[in-house]
Amino acid sequence: MPADTAAISDALDRFNREKTGVDDRRPLAVLVRDPRTQQVIGGLTGRTSLGLFFVDLFFLPPELRGNGLGAEILRQAEDEARARGCRAAVLYTISFQAPDFYRKQGWEHLGEVPCDPPGTGRVFMTKELAARSGH
């Protein structure tokens, strides 16, 4: 399966390069490791491409939530995206996951698509990545 996914991704990247003349797709990750084992226990993964930062996955174990670590991880990822020239960021979360967390970090609601279980939705969000003051 990873090889199949890579084949599709590579073909789409080639198409995008041919159409835009831009070859800037890069992965972006901010990882949290267990201090004892150095195993990854959480963090954020995404990618930058064509001036946009896409957040794909973001998870912190419950015991690491509520102390500002999540906000710091997101800030670091956004700063790296800015350094790469991204003007905006996009993500989706589920209504029972973290839309309120993202709103507190300056993200705006774009729309919502219902999903299961009933009453639940995929929440699409965006954030402008204008240069931070002092940077």
Side-chain angles (χ1 to χ4, degrees), residues 78 89-93 99-112 123-129:
E78 291 170 3
V90 294
L91 63 80
Y92 68 81
T93 185
D100 290 338
F101 165 77
Y102 291 112
R103 274 189 210 94
K104 289 177 187 171
Q105 311 311 314
W107 289 70
E108 298 178 12
H109 184 267
L110 271 177
E112 190 167 334
V123 180
F124 292 80
M125 303 185 84
T126 188
K127 183 174 184 178
E128 292 300 316
L129 295 179

Side-chain angles (χ1 to χ4, degrees), residues 3-4 29-30 45 54 56 60 66-67 86 95 100 105-106 109 120 129:
D4 298 333
V30 180
T45 64
F54 298 89
D56 292 327
L60 282 177
N67 63 5
C86 292
S95 56
D100 290 338
Q105 311 311 314
H109 184 267
T120 302
L129 295 179

